[in-house]
């Protein structure tokens, strides 16, 4: 897809988002029929490639993707952008926006039916009228979960509220804690939140975070060793007892990790550990541990640099589709210099995949996805348009738990949080809505107490409850209205 095509699709996405927001904020201003006509007109202009049947079934089918590229549709797309973009994108007053776009639509309404017929005639052997209208009128929810350590536990309550509102993601992608919690959400379409929460409360710090020397095979050494596989493995097994791979999850899921570029550190992971005084088999005293963590936190921000770390998506291709699900989340949550995650068990298949990945990507270590792309909306958008879930008609909802806050638990990280917000700014144009959660637990509360967990979940529920109605409006199905 050319950069011009990407810009056009993103413009149409913003136009549609502004239109639906105006319809939500001013219910009853237009008739139901006219709402559907307007939404169809804009959404149809964004049609370019899709897998017939995917939108209606909620996932990829056995049919091939069909590129929809005919001159009549290209002309129609340019006309929609030319006529409807100004009233939709340049009016801050949503009521005025709605009324002006309604008048603008009158000048192009006749072209919708003619272009639709041209598309159906050109692709009579590829898809039916119903399959075309399903692709245009059915949105799939894409859930993007950002990193932020302990601040991310609000996501549990947010996803719970969404499930009760029948807002089930068709694809989830996460970084760091967003990958860990996203893994739980992706396990089943209908998640058992009470069971997940109870399991999380039962985890012990000494079960998940250990002070044991571990060979750095694929990860980067840190103060703590993250034993995520040991803590979660019982909950992520298939019916036959085998460990779940990313391809086994009921909801398509991908984890973003950071790949330390080959030679970027000018020393091997083992040498890095020695020079940064990381190898140890004992638990330091409280003051010593705080000093070590503080030092590594300062160093960690140097990894937020594309010259040092590149974004790697686990689950996004054939090589990583069968990546162990817990390993994917573990590597995504491995904070450079602080949390070391690695494959420390005998698993020939996983060692083979990890070694091949390191060689293909030309990287020395896998680290926290947050330093590569903390709220990966751009990655989600690109994966969808590359055919991840068949349909290309999606609503991109981003969760961000690391926006700057003035609470005691966040104040000392404000500089780093502002650095990561620059990443968010680059991703913003790819998302329909970003939910910046406030308040949250401190990012360093990696394994909260039961009381803290309940508090975080309640904060997530409360904030998402105020978002649900708007999201439901965007997800509302609509069909083609005959003129």
């Amino acid at each position: 897809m050319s950069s011009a095509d990407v810009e056009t699709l993103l413009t149409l996405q913003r136009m549609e988002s502004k239109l639906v927001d105006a319809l939500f904020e001013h219910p009853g201003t237009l008739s139901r029929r006219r709402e559907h006509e307007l939404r169809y007109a804009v959404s149809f202009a964004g049609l370019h490639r899709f897998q017939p049947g995917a939108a209606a079934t909620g996932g990829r089918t056995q049919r091939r993707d069909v590129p929809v590229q005919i001159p009549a549709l290209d002309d129609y797309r340019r006309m929609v952008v030319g006529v409807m973009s100004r009233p939709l994108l340049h009016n801050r007053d949503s009521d005025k926006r709605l009324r002006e776009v309604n008048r603008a639509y009158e000048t192009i309404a006749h072209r919708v039916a003619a272009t639709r017929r041209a598309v159906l005639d050109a692709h009579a052997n590829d898809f039916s009228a119903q399959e075309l209208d399903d692709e245009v009128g059915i949105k799939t929810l894409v859930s993007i979960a950002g990193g932020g350590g302990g601040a991310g536990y609000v996501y549990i309550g947010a996803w719970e509220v969404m499930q009760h509102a029948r807002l089930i993601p068709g694809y989830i992608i996460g970084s760091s804690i967003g990958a860990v919690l996203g893994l739980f959400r992706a396990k089943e379409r209908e998640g058992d939140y009470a069971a997940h929460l109870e399991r999380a409360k039962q985890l012990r710090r000494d079960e998940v975070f250990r002070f044991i020397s571990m060979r750095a095979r694929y990860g980067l050494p840190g103060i703590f060793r993250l034993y995520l596989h040991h803590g979660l493995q019982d909950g992520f097994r298939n019916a036959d007892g085998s460990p779940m791979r990313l391809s086994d999850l009921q909801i398509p899921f991908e984890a973003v990790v950071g790949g330390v570029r080959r030679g970027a550190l000018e020393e091997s992971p083992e040498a890095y550990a020695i020079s940064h005084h990381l190898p140890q088999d004992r638990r330091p005293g409280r003051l010593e541990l705080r000093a070590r963590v503080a030092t590594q936190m300062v160093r960690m921000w140097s990894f937020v640099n594309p010259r040092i770390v590149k974004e790697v998506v686990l689950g996004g291709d054939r090589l990583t589709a069968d990546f162990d699900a817990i390993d994917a989340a573990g590597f995504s949550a491995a904070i450079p210099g602080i949390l070391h995650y690695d494959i420390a068990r005998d698993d020939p298949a996983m060692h083979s995949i990890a070694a091949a990945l390191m060689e293909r990507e030309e990287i020395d270590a896998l680290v926290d996805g947050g330093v590569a792309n903390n709220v990966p909306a751009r990655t989600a958008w690109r994966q969808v348009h590359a055919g991840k879930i068949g349909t290309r008609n999606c609503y991109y909802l981003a969760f961000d738990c690391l926006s700057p806050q003035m609470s005691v638990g966040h104040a000392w990280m404000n500089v780093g949080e502002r650095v990561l917000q620059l990443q968010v700014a680059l991703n913003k144009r790819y998302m329909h809505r970003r939910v910046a959660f406030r308040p949250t637990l401190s990012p360093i509360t990696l394994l909260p107490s039961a009381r803290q967990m309940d508090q975080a979940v309640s904060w997530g529920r409360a904030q998402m409850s105020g978002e649900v109605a708007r999201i439901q409006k965007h997800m509302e199905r609509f069909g083609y209205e005959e003129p």
Side-chain angles (χ1 to χ4, degrees), residues 61-108:
T61 68
Q62 297 301 312
R63 297 172 64 182
R64 65 180 180 86
D65 281 7
V66 178
V68 185
Q69 298 171 340
I70 63 172
L73 182 59
D74 292 338
D75 291 342
Y76 172 79
R77 185 179 295 118
R78 284 191 291 268
M79 181 182 62
V80 169
V81 172
V83 172
M84 301 179 74
S85 63
R86 180 167 293 278
L88 286 173
L89 301 180
H90 297 280
N91 275 320
R92 291 187 178 182
D93 185 312
S94 56
D95 181 55
K96 183 179 179 182
R97 182 192 315 157
L98 200 56
R99 296 182 187 280
E100 287 191 6
V101 78
N102 186 42
R103 287 194 294 270
Y105 170 74
E106 293 288 353
T107 66
I108 64 169

Side-chain angles (χ1 to χ4, degrees), residues 318-333:
R318 289 184 179 181
L319 174 62
T320 60
D322 287 332
F323 212 92
D324 181 277
I326 298 175
D327 285 338
F331 281 118
S332 186

Side-chain angles (χ1 to χ4, degrees), residues 365-394:
L366 296 171
V367 297
D368 192 321
V371 299
N373 197 353
N374 201 50
V375 184
R378 176 177 53 186
T379 306
W381 193 92
R382 290 176 174 175
Q383 292 295 90
V384 165
H385 284 270
K388 176 69 180 183
I389 54 177
T391 181
R392 271 66 169 180
N393 187 7
C394 295

Side-chain angles (χ1 to χ4, degrees), residues 11-31:
T11 296
L12 287 163
Q13 180 173 300
R14 291 195 301 274
M15 288 167 59
E16 184 184 23
S17 186
K18 290 290 188 179
L19 170 62
V20 181
D21 281 343
L23 292 170
F24 172 75
E25 292 164 11
H26 301 281
T29 299
L30 302 179
S31 68

